[in-house]
Amino acid sequence: MRIHSLPIQLVNQIAAGEVVERPASVVKELVENCFDAGAQQIIIDIEQGGARLIKIRDDGCGIDKEDLPLALSRHATSKIKSLQDLEQVASMGFRGEALPSISSVARLTLISRTADAECAWSVCADGTERNFDPQPDPHPLGTTVDVQDLFYNTPARRKFLKAEKTEFTHIETLIKRMALSRFDISFILTHNQKEVLNLRPALVQLAKEQRVADICGPEFIKNAVTIDYSASGLQLSGWVGLPTFSRSQQDMQFFYVNGRLVKDKLVSHAVKQAYQDVLYHGRHPVFVLYLTLDPTLVDVNAHPAKTEVRFREGRLVHDFLYSALHRSLADVRPGQAVTVLEAESLDHDTTTQASFSTRSSDVGLGISAGAGAGAGAGAGAGAGAGAGAGAGASLLSGNSRQSSYIPKPPQQSSLPYSVGESIRAYAKLYQETPTYSTAHLTPDSAPITPPLGYAIAHLHNIYILSETATGIILVDTHAAHERVTYERLKQQHADGVIPSQPLLLPIKLSVSTAEAELAEQEQEFFALLGFELNRSGPETLTLRASPALLRNVDKEQLVRDVLADLSVNGVSQRIEEYTNTVLASMACHGSVRAHRRLSIDEMNALLRDMEQTERIGQCNHGRPTWIELSTKDLDKFFLRGQ
């Protein structure tokens, strides 16, 4: 067969197959153009789920009359001029394919006016990139793109459209996500002449939080930690939900790179690692996060729809995200509102500082009186915004967070570590709650009530009942002590060199050449983790020693899994995960068991330990450790003051 050139309209229709999947795809491309035009207001009118009409108006800079035909031509753009521009893309769009692709599968009209023009001009397009005849129009400053009868000339594509309600739901979800990326722009969305969204500009922090609450639900912002972390030229800001406020689906995870909403495996892996021992099994975290970095360090040209990116320094970004999220979750403790940490940047710049804080309004650890069971049972999609936080039942009340009480640090028992110690030996060290004196913490001698108050009773030999300045607190004794013990074990383990245990018989592993080369490159990494792993042939590795703590683990499979992680993600926390699993088991066996009666002094000692322990809001399995009922909640139960 002879080779021939394809008609321009067919070329654009092929391009449309990559860019225009459904009406929401059209909306995404056009709204991104509004962003690049400097719009302050964007109005989106939708009819019949977008199949009948998509009209998007903005008040941006507009397009010159002479440039209108070019705007509807393929590979024509004002956003890049050279390869250097492509390597540091700062705009949302840059391919120059959206308008001609859309016009090839719909009836498109483009109307625009610049600030110095006497009137606006409009053109119609059909994807052929010819016969443009601009006509004057009374349109105000800005641009309107009118897209009608989507896929009218490609009936096979039109058949794949879902029901009107479904398609509009995709559009509404998209606009909400895009609205979270640009707080300075107002968004108005209508469907069949009925207003659905009206988001005003949010220029101050309180207004931004209100927009987040409008989109993600008020319970999210009530149960979120504000994060602002900078290191190594990277900055991460936004909100992360507390572990006890989670979802059964990954439908409330918004991650933006330089203002662009993306989905990235590396990001997902870092987030998963940060939540690994604080989230209940089967639940997913919620977050709205913004990563800002030099545009030269990220490739946004990795996908036609620009929904995926590639980081040039993947390991750096992964470690940065993990560190920021891990510390922000660890730092939420009773009675603390703001903590400033000296954060080692990934290039060991000790001058970098990171600041984590909870919101200034009523933000707690997100557990209500009725939420514990939902989280513990792995509530399904019907759990709404998460494991649920009831009104007025956040763990940290406003008064307790502002308290000037600073508890004395608990006396730490020394934790001897040797290769031959068993789980029972570890557990014995923590079989009893620490018996240091709590006389200085009694209500008679301490005028300021500590955040978790003072113990009153041990209910059913399971729950500690404590009275605070603003209400009462219930603590699951075993879950709380398990977290305290677990964090101590992790700290003790981190403070020393990981002991390595020589193998009686070395293990030979047959691997691919690429895996052997990777193991050779990462030999120092394996050594730091307690492995003695050497390359003994082109496709052979020899394991001569492994971490003593993981003596009962399948070592060959573990090494293969770590190599797979390093190959895919450039980093692996698999050793840490296995180690933490063992330590968590030790902590569980070594913690106070249910139905064991505690004295008042022992209960107060545990409460003070909790106030000093990271991630105390949940146990190692992700279950809530404590809840609070304020006096207002109690008054509501008994109809007092009504």
Side-chain angles (χ1 to χ4, degrees):
M1 296 178 63
R2 300 293 301 274
I3 298 174
H4 61 277
S5 298
L6 295 175
I8 293 297
Q9 185 176 25
L10 180 57
V11 170
N12 286 330
Q13 287 176 336
I14 293 172
E18 297 178 341
V19 177
V20 185
E21 178 185 359
R22 61 192 333 150
S25 307
V26 175
V27 174
K28 176 183 180 295
E29 296 292 338
L30 298 182
V31 171
E32 286 182 348
N33 284 343
C34 298
F35 289 171
D36 290 337
Q40 298 299 307
Q41 183 183 62
I42 302 175
I43 302 174
I44 306 102
D45 297 320
I46 305 296
E47 291 184 11
Q48 296 180 16
R52 174 69 182 88
L53 172 70
I54 298 172
K55 179 187 285 187
I56 298 182
R57 293 173 284 172
D58 69 58
D59 58 354
C61 63
I63 305 172
D64 290 323
K65 174 187 175 182
E66 294 76 14
D67 291 344
L68 286 175
L70 273 176
L72 295 167
S73 301
R74 194 168 173 178
H75 303 314
T77 179
S78 62
K79 298 163 188 176
I80 61 171
K81 295 180 180 179
S82 65
L83 179 61
Q84 183 178 0
D85 294 336
L86 188 61
E87 292 175 349
Q88 48 186 4
V89 174
S91 59
M92 300 301 295
F94 52 89
R95 289 170 172 267
E97 292 184 349
L99 289 177
S101 297
I102 295 169
S103 67
S104 69
V105 292
R107 308 182 197 278
L108 184 146
T109 302
L110 175 63
I111 311 170
S112 190
R113 179 178 181 178
T114 58
D116 56 354
E118 295 181 357
C119 68
W121 295 89
S122 70
V123 292
C124 298
D126 59 4
T128 60
E129 300 185 16
R130 62 171 184 254
N131 300 327
F132 294 120
D133 183 19
Q135 298 294 320
D137 193 279
H139 190 280
L141 174 65
T143 302
T144 292
V145 181
D146 187 303
V147 179
Q148 298 186 29
D149 302 328
L150 184 62
F151 299 136
Y152 78 98
N153 56 355
T154 51
R157 297 284 303 279
R158 195 175 181 91
K159 289 179 181 178
F160 280 94
L161 293 180
K162 304 299 181 181
E164 176 181 325
K165 182 178 179 181
T166 301
E167 294 296 345
F168 180 73
T169 298
H170 283 287
I171 294 174
E172 183 181 7
T173 301
L174 172 71
I175 295 302
K176 288 179 177 180
R177 292 178 175 179
M178 300 187 83
L180 287 175
S181 71
R182 293 295 300 269
F183 289 100
D184 58 320
I185 299 177
S186 70
F187 294 82
I188 299 175
L189 173 64
T190 67
H191 187 218
N192 296 332
Q193 290 82 49
K194 182 181 296 184
E195 185 174 279
V196 178
L197 280 179
N198 190 341
L199 302 173
R200 297 179 180 180
L203 303 179
V204 297
Q205 184 65 17
L206 188 61
K208 292 178 181 179
E209 291 176 354
Q210 183 58 54
R211 177 176 285 194
V212 173
D214 290 341
I215 293 174
C216 300
E219 294 305 320
F220 167 69
I221 207 69
K222 288 180 181 178
N223 293 276
V225 176
T226 302
I227 180 171
D228 190 5
Y229 187 90
S230 300
S232 302
L234 307 175
Q235 180 179 11
L236 184 69
S237 60
W239 299 266
V240 289
L242 293 160
T244 44
F245 183 82
S246 58
R247 302 275 289 182
S248 60
Q249 305 292 331
Q250 295 174 304
D251 59 345
M252 201 180 289
Q253 298 182 349
F254 308 107
F255 193 86
Y256 302 86
V257 177
N258 290 344
R260 185 188 303 276
L261 178 66
V262 301
K263 294 182 179 179
D264 186 82
K265 292 181 179 179
L266 182 144
V267 171
S268 300
H269 187 267
V271 172
K272 181 180 178 181
Q273 292 296 324
Y275 278 86
Q276 65 178 342
D277 64 353
V278 293
L279 200 64
Y280 191 79
H281 177 69
R283 307 292 294 180
H284 300 279
V286 296
F287 54 82
V288 178
L289 291 171
Y290 306 88
L291 176 64
T292 305
L293 72 166
D294 188 334
T296 60
L297 298 178
V298 57
D299 180 10
V300 299
N301 197 24
H303 190 276
K306 304 184 291 293
T307 57
E308 299 176 7
V309 296
R310 279 196 297 258
F311 296 104
R312 303 194 192 282
E313 297 289 343
R315 179 175 292 191
L316 174 70
V317 173
H318 181 282
D319 290 348
F320 170 77
L321 294 176
Y322 170 76
S323 176
L325 296 174
H326 185 70
R327 292 308 311 159
S328 67
L329 295 173
D331 198 57
V332 179
R333 304 182 195 179
Q336 289 185 338
V338 179
T339 301
V340 179
L341 304 173
E342 288 288 341
E344 271 194 21
S345 64
L346 301 179
D347 57 0
H348 304 289
D349 178 7
T350 57
T351 63
T352 304
Q353 286 191 343
S355 171
F356 304 102
S357 67
T358 54
R359 295 176 59 248
S360 57
S361 56
D362 288 338
V363 179
L365 296 185
I367 304 296
S368 69
S394 70
L395 276 169
L396 305 185
S397 65
N399 289 340
S400 65
R401 281 200 306 280
Q402 297 168 4
S403 169
S404 60
Y405 169 82
I406 303 177
K408 294 184 178 180
Q411 298 175 0
Q412 300 288 339
S413 345
S414 59
L415 182 62
Y417 189 96
S418 65
V419 173
E421 283 182 320
S422 64
I423 291 178
R424 184 169 299 177
Y426 277 102
K428 185 177 180 181
L429 288 169
Y430 293 93
Q431 190 63 45
E432 301 293 331
T433 306
T435 56
Y436 55 85
S437 173
T438 58
H440 65 286
L441 299 177
T442 60
D444 294 336
S445 61
I448 300 177
T449 305
L452 294 181
Y454 297 103
I456 298 175
H458 200 193
L459 306 179
H460 300 289
N461 295 343
I462 299 176
Y463 304 104
I464 296 174
L465 174 63
S466 174
E467 182 180 13
T468 69
T470 57
I472 61 174
I473 280 177
L474 284 173
V475 176
D476 184 325
T477 308
H478 174 74
H481 193 222
E482 184 177 9
R483 171 58 70 178
V484 171
T485 306
Y486 179 43
E487 292 299 328
R488 285 184 181 176
L489 286 171
K490 285 200 298 182
Q491 186 59 50
Q492 292 284 349
H493 185 262
D495 287 344
V497 178
I498 298 179
S500 182
Q501 184 176 36
L503 301 180
L504 185 62
L505 295 175
I507 299 176
K508 287 189 176 291
L509 292 81
S510 297
V511 296
S512 66
T513 303
E515 288 176 323
E517 291 176 352
L518 181 61
E520 191 173 22
Q521 293 170 6
E522 300 292 345
Q523 190 169 6
E524 183 179 354
F525 171 77
F526 280 100
L528 290 174
L529 296 174
F531 286 93
E532 185 182 339
L533 185 67
N534 306 108
R535 186 177 185 180
S536 54
E539 297 181 344
T540 305
L541 299 175
T542 302
L543 180 64
R544 303 183 186 279
S546 66
L549 195 63
L550 304 181
R551 54 187 174 275
N552 295 322
V553 173
D554 185 339
K555 301 170 185 61
E556 180 177 347
Q557 186 60 47
L558 178 57
V559 170
R560 294 185 186 278
D561 290 343
V562 172
L563 286 173
D565 289 341
L566 290 173
S567 176
V568 175
N569 302 310
V571 67
S572 176
Q573 269 86 30
R574 199 172 291 269
I575 308 296
E576 182 182 353
E577 288 179 13
Y578 276 98
T579 302
N580 287 345
T581 298
V582 175
L583 296 179
S585 177
M586 295 175 182
C588 185
H589 287 284
S591 299
V592 174
R593 313 306 297 179
H595 305 296
R596 180 198 155 198
R597 172 66 68 178
L598 298 182
S599 68
I600 292 294
D601 280 351
E602 286 178 319
M603 288 187 284
N604 279 324
L606 179 57
L607 294 176
R608 303 295 79 81
D609 270 353
M610 291 172 63
E611 290 161 351
Q612 296 296 301
T613 301
E614 296 180 343
R615 308 173 189 87
I616 194 57
Q618 54 286 319
C619 73
N620 316 339
H621 313 293
R623 292 193 300 109
T625 57
W626 60 300
I627 63 171
E628 180 185 47
L629 284 174
S630 68
T631 52
K632 290 183 179 180
D633 296 324
L634 296 174
D635 289 343
K636 287 180 182 178
F637 290 154
F638 296 102
L639 305 179
R640 291 178 60 87
Q642 298 185 18

